[in-house]
Amino acid sequence: VHLLLAKISDKAQDSGLDIKIFKPSEEIKRDFYAEVPVEIEVDGNFHQVATFFDEVGNLERLVNLFDFSLVDSAVEDSDPFLKTKVV
């Protein structure tokens, strides 16, 4: 689990995002799998956020992104700067 969380964090950094919050919750055991909800808050432009979502989607383990919000907080070089929250 810790290796997977490290890979997700690395994907955010590799995408150029500024990680504000990376807060794993307790593991939830299911019949055939376990869930580890992680509260993530990052800052970056739309392309960086999209790259991060794509990279996480291509990990070898199943990772679902849900309960996310994108808030346009500023414009830098005509590119919207987003505050993104996701679990």
Side-chain angles (χ1 to χ4, degrees), residues 26-69:
E26 292 295 319
E27 185 176 290
I28 303 166
K29 299 277 186 185
R30 303 292 186 196
D31 290 335
F32 300 104
Y33 64 95
E35 291 179 12
V36 181
V38 180
E39 179 185 351
I40 300 173
E41 184 176 321
V42 293
D43 291 342
N45 65 39
F46 179 80
H47 183 262
Q48 292 167 322
V49 173
T51 298
F52 171 61
F53 286 177
D54 182 58
E55 291 292 324
V56 168
N58 288 319
L59 289 171
E60 65 277 0
R61 302 274 302 266
L62 182 61
V63 177
N64 293 317
L65 301 173
F66 63 95
D67 196 23
F68 65 89
S69 66

Side-chain angles (χ1 to χ4, degrees), residues 9-19 42-45 47-49 51-52 81:
S9 176
D10 289 346
K11 297 295 182 187
Q13 291 175 335
D14 293 347
S15 298
L17 295 171
D18 183 17
I19 301 171
V42 293
D43 291 342
N45 65 39
H47 183 262
Q48 292 167 322
V49 173
T51 298
F52 171 61
F81 185 78

